[in-house]
Amino acid sequence: MAVALYSRGSMIAAMLLLGLLLATFHVTGANTGVCYGLLGDNLPPPHEVIDLYKRNNIQRMRIYAPAPEVLQALRGSDIELMVGVANEDLHSIGTDMANAYSWVQTNIRSYGNVKFRYIAVGNEINPPAWEADYLLGAMKNIHQAIEEAGLGNQIKVSTPFSFMVLGESYPPSKGSFRPEFRSFINPIIRFLEENGAPFLFNMYPYFSYSGNTQYISLEYALFTSPEVTVQDGQFGYQNIFDAMLDAGYSALEKAGGASLEIVVSETGWPTAGGTATTIENARTYNTNLLRHVKKGTPKRPGKPIETYIFAMFNENNKNPELEKHWGLFYPNKQSVYQIEFSPTN
């Protein structure tokens, strides 16, 4: 996970608070899911995790690799899934179609009663990383295997980018991709357009704020600013989430990808380990996020923003310390903080 002005970075957990109720989500109208990471040695078994999603009405999930025990637990659950292809698999899949067929057979077709929504090929890849040479090839091969399996209308193939792919992001109308990345990213944009797939963005207002506290207010980052903070032509911005997202849309427009929809494939706020990392700030951010994503942005108003909160659990095998504290739940399945959301909010 790369850290840039509007990018993300890492995770961890806070003290156990007795008496907190399970967080309650009603996310149908908000198109909101939760990322389920597995980098902890004390996490509950997958079937208990699926029950926790269902009890809290969390109807979408992102996982970072096709763990068989998770896919098995998802059978018949009706939870819509974004499943990842690991970065280390991109070379083999991108250079050999047989490996793409095998991946799809093993991890998708073998689980016919799992509701796959997206395949996220790699995560936060950009030059000069070696995986960048194989990313588009792997996306094309996975897409072909999905098409030949008759699943092309059901499952879309994309790849999540971090915000560091933007060279300019302020004001949002100036959003553009880094010049040195354009030859890498423009063909991916064409592929997404041709196949009706979304552009996946891992977007972290937390890192924008924590790296620039002299310029960005906490209220602007937490959706609590009482007034417009950034005026950009006809559009006024009261929160940095909208500004980041519209900077992404501006970049896509400049790259010829105006028709693409952005899905926020990760966002969240940590509860410990860094600047302004409190339980109350995390609760405020995610509560306001759940309400806000139904509204669209100034540039694209009225259209719900499909969003995935990072993360379901605090994961104790992550480093540095900040990485351990992004969870909505402790590993004992007790909520870190209560979130109340209803479709009428």
Side-chain angles (χ1 to χ4, degrees), residues 3-304:
V3 179
L5 175 60
Y6 282 162
S7 176
R8 113 162 226 219
S10 316
M11 343 292 186
I12 72 202
M15 296 165 29
L16 184 63
L17 296 181
L18 297 176
L20 284 177
L21 301 175
L22 289 177
T24 302
F25 297 82
H26 302 282
V27 300
T28 305
N31 297 317
T32 304
V34 178
C35 302
Y36 173 22
L38 296 172
L39 295 180
D41 60 18
N42 56 355
L43 299 177
H47 71 274
E48 293 183 11
V49 176
I50 303 310
D51 287 343
L52 194 59
Y53 270 74
K54 292 168 74 173
R55 281 206 306 274
N56 288 281
N57 199 26
I58 305 170
Q59 299 173 4
R60 288 179 179 162
M61 174 189 290
R62 178 183 176 188
I63 58 175
Y64 293 86
E69 65 276 15
V70 176
L71 295 176
Q72 184 66 32
L74 280 164
R75 288 183 182 275
S77 68
D78 280 338
I79 293 171
E80 293 185 292
L81 183 66
M82 180 192 302
V83 60
V85 176
N87 289 0
E88 57 265 28
D89 292 336
L90 297 188
H91 176 268
S92 65
I93 291 173
T95 57
D96 190 336
M97 191 65 212
N99 291 330
Y101 287 131
S102 176
W103 192 97
V104 168
Q105 178 62 45
T106 300
N107 301 304
I108 305 296
R109 300 185 72 179
S110 294
Y111 298 93
N113 55 348
V114 172
K115 290 184 74 171
F116 294 99
R117 181 172 177 85
Y118 303 120
I119 297 175
V121 180
N123 188 46
E124 296 191 346
I125 292 170
N126 49 259
W130 67 265
E131 296 97 335
D133 293 335
Y134 304 100
L135 177 59
L136 183 57
M139 293 173 71
K140 288 180 175 179
N141 286 353
I142 290 288
H143 171 75
Q144 181 177 333
I146 288 293
E147 284 286 331
E148 292 182 18
L151 298 170
N153 291 329
Q154 173 190 336
I155 304 170
K156 297 302 179 181
V157 176
S158 188
T159 186
F161 291 99
S162 79
F163 221 74
M164 73 169 295
V165 297
L166 294 191
E168 262 192 279
S169 57
Y170 180 86
S173 61
K174 296 287 189 182
S176 61
F177 294 112
R178 290 175 183 256
E180 65 270 30
F181 289 173
R182 288 174 189 163
S183 62
F184 161 70
I185 207 166
N186 285 353
I188 293 174
I189 291 171
R190 300 288 86 75
F191 169 85
L192 298 176
E193 280 195 311
E194 290 168 4
N195 296 294
F199 191 93
L200 304 181
F201 243 161
N202 295 346
M203 276 185 12
Y204 285 87
Y206 171 74
F207 287 104
S208 299
Y209 166 73
S210 64
N212 301 274
T213 55
Q214 68 273 41
Y215 303 116
I216 297 173
S217 72
L218 185 61
E219 292 76 18
Y220 189 51
L222 293 177
F223 300 94
T224 57
S225 176
E227 57 191 10
V228 168
T229 301
V230 172
Q231 189 68 44
D232 184 14
Q234 64 180 310
F235 300 131
Y237 292 87
Q238 282 187 250
N239 64 82
I240 199 170
F241 180 91
D242 282 351
M244 293 169 70
L245 195 52
D246 278 354
Y249 276 122
S250 294
L252 286 172
E253 290 167 4
K254 293 179 179 69
S259 67
L260 290 180
E261 177 185 354
I262 293 177
V263 168
V264 178
S265 42
E266 289 180 18
T267 192
W269 197 281
T271 54
T275 302
T277 54
T278 67
I279 287 175
E280 181 57 26
N281 285 344
R283 185 198 65 79
T284 298
Y285 178 80
N286 282 325
T287 296
N288 289 334
L289 173 78
L290 285 166
R291 295 173 180 151
H292 183 77
V293 294
K294 295 176 7 179
K295 303 175 182 178
T297 69
K299 194 175 185 68
R300 304 243 177 145
K303 181 172 176 50

